[in-house]
Amino acid sequence: MSRRTPGQRVGLTREAVLRAALALADREGLKALSMRRLGAELDVEAMTLYHHVPSKDALLDGLVELLVAPIAPPAFEAGSWQEALHAYASELRTTLLAHPNVIPLVASRPAVTAQNLQVMEAALESMRAAGLQPADALDVLYAVTGFVLGHVVTSPDGDPVDQLDALDPAEYPLLAEAVSKASPRGTEARFEFALDALLSGLEPNALD
Amino acid sequence: MSRRTPGQRVGLTREAVLRAALALADREGLKALSMRRLGAELDVEAMTLYHHVPSKDALLDGLVELLVAPIAPPAFEAGSWQEALHAYASELRTTLLAHPNVIPLVASRPAVTAQNLQVMEAALESMRAAGLQPADALDVLYAVTGFVLGHVVTSPDGDPVDQLDALDPAEYPLLAEAVSKASPRGTEARFEFALDALLSGLEPNALD
DNA sequence: ACTCTATACTTACGCCGTAAGAATCTTCAA
DNA sequence: TTGAAGATTCTTACGGCGTAAGTATAGAGT
């Protein structure tokens, strides 16, 4: 049951493969993302994919890069210190939340790709313009990025409260109370609250 | 090539299985942690493990729980607000860093187990004694936990700078400068710096 | 001593990543 | 116009995976 005769091109590119992989992971989860399954999705045999990607690990790396690449680095030229980092953190969070299935991947790959290095360099550039030493700026960048990742990892979709909804108030009275009262605020408010806490604490130390 | 006759007991327990799994993951990484391999480690066939653990996913969940369980919840009775959360965050970080191979697992499993719920309840208890509303306390807990996880995920072992060591200064001048200057401080200093920033920013908002 | 059950092993199925190689199409120089 | 070269695809095969189903035995409770 062959799809077509060998050699007959189907116009695959690395980019197309990565996009299909992201779509598949979004739709059916990371476990469904196998080379055979992805091949089927593109109407191609699994081994064909290896002409565009050297291994499955490399494919996953590429997937993370595809996801993170379009995020704009923090721009300090316009607006205050906090605003720039706040906007950057929010965009990063939004991007990750749009692909919840891929978050574990982002969290488990260092992703020191050329793409990422350029983003970091650009960020340091504009942070220097704002008066920061590069060493301090790097600390701040790491702190904010790690914070966003950690927040997204601990509350991927919807309120973390969702998972705690059916909670026995007799066994966990305070937890139940906290959950019932915290609901209206939502995860986003919780994120902004903690982010601003971090940023306001970061500023005096970093600028001194 | 059978190891022993069926029925002959080897004295396996869920706990022993989980400990062996953790040891194996620590020693050889997550990819080496297969049911067959783990069975071999315990001198047992793979299927035997299913008497102590319902599935591999459950085994991984148990592994995370085993790792996180011994961490003491933040105790506010003695010492200041910051000290308590600082100590908790540091212990969590130390525990995770002691098992770098397992970090991706912790980051990708919600882990809303009975164990964890009890830890959270205990934390809320002592935070209430310090004058916090449970809802605010929960926010603070999530913020700190997420922060630690994010930090550990982005710089698992050694300085993140290690991976950036061989960097082309011509291509990334600021990055190279930041790396060369930031080195002596180390990852721990970076962690404490950002943690204190978060905590100092958290306090006024949460206590108001 | 006898039964019952928990524990262990065996076999088998359908997945997985990927190494090796054959078949075909496209391109381009002669 | 032809024919060689290289790119792209398919085929086959190997060892390893999680686990469903079934079998055998050792030890505990009567």
Side-chain angles (χ1 to χ4, degrees), chain A residues 2 4 6 10 45 47-48 51-52:
Chain A
S2 77
R4 77 182 64 75
V10 77
E45 295 303 315
M47 289 311 291
T48 295
H51 276 269
H52 305 281

Side-chain angles (χ1 to χ4, degrees), chain A:
Chain A
M1 157 148 177
S2 77
R3 304 170 186 285
R4 77 182 64 75
T5 65
Q8 202 162 110
R9 294 167 193 215
V10 77
L12 230 46
T13 62
R14 181 188 134 98
E15 165 109 12
V17 169
L18 292 182
R19 290 208 180 281
L22 180 55
L24 178 55
D26 280 346
R27 193 166 7 102
E28 307 192 26
L30 278 183
K31 289 198 166 165
L33 178 51
S34 73
M35 297 304 271
R36 291 177 220 265
R37 186 83 172 65
L38 179 58
E41 210 78 11
L42 291 164
D43 198 37
V44 133
E45 295 303 315
M47 289 311 291
T48 295
L49 302 173
Y50 284 83
H51 276 269
H52 305 281
V53 142
S55 71
K56 186 178 184 186
D57 263 15
L59 181 140
L60 296 180
D61 281 337
L63 205 162
V64 170
E65 197 169 322
L66 178 68
L67 191 65
V68 172
I71 298 176
F76 289 90
E77 286 74 13
S80 80
W81 174 269
Q82 286 99 335
E83 284 168 10
L85 282 177
H86 190 113
Y88 172 71
S90 291
E91 185 179 358
L92 179 54
R93 170 174 179 266
T94 303
T95 300
L96 294 179
L97 286 187
H99 305 270
N101 292 340
V102 189
I103 291 176
L105 228 52
V106 180
S108 59
R109 320 217 141 222
V112 276
T113 67
Q115 284 260 21
N116 269 1
L117 291 178
Q118 283 163 17
V119 168
M120 290 175 75
E121 181 72 15
L124 294 187
E125 181 72 41
S126 82
M127 286 164 107
R128 202 240 291 271
L132 239 75
Q133 297 298 324
D136 292 333
L138 189 59
D139 281 6
V140 169
L141 254 193
Y142 263 109
V144 171
T145 308
F147 171 80
V148 174
L149 211 49
H151 191 95
V152 163
V153 150
T154 54
S155 3
D157 35 27
D159 216 301
V161 160
D162 287 354
Q163 303 156 352
L164 275 51
D165 245 358
L167 207 65
D168 184 5
E171 212 165 350
Y172 311 103
L174 296 178
L175 209 41
E177 179 186 344
V179 165
S180 71
K181 286 195 182 172
S183 272
R185 285 215 260 158
T187 312
E188 179 152 3
R190 206 185 328 278
F191 171 76
E192 307 259 331
F193 161 72
L195 173 61
D196 287 334
L198 174 65
L199 290 180
S200 73
L202 228 39
E203 180 171 16
N205 287 317
L207 281 178
D208 55 63

Side-chain angles (χ1 to χ4, degrees), chain B residues 60-193:
Chain B
L60 296 180
D61 282 335
L63 206 161
V64 171
E65 197 168 320
L66 178 70
L67 192 66
V68 172
I71 297 177
F76 290 89
E77 287 73 13
S80 79
W81 173 270
Q82 287 100 332
E83 282 169 9
L85 282 178
H86 190 113
Y88 171 71
S90 290
E91 185 178 357
L92 180 55
R93 170 173 180 267
T94 303
T95 300
L96 294 179
L97 285 187
H99 305 269
N101 292 341
V102 190
I103 292 178
L105 230 51
V106 180
S108 60
R109 321 221 139 219
V112 277
T113 68
Q115 283 260 21
N116 268 2
L117 291 179
Q118 283 163 17
V119 168
M120 289 175 75
E121 181 71 16
L124 293 188
E125 182 73 38
S126 84
M127 286 165 107
R128 202 240 291 274
L132 238 74
Q133 297 300 323
D136 291 335
L138 190 59
D139 281 6
V140 169
L141 255 192
Y142 263 109
V144 172
T145 307
F147 171 80
V148 174
L149 211 49
H151 192 94
V152 164
V153 150
T154 52
S155 6
D157 36 25
D159 216 303
V161 161
D162 286 354
Q163 304 154 353
L164 275 50
D165 245 359
L167 206 64
D168 183 6
E171 212 164 350
Y172 311 103
L174 297 179
L175 209 42
E177 179 186 346
V179 163
S180 71
K181 285 196 181 168
S183 271
R185 286 216 256 158
T187 312
E188 179 153 2
R190 209 187 325 278
F191 171 76
E192 308 259 333
F193 162 70

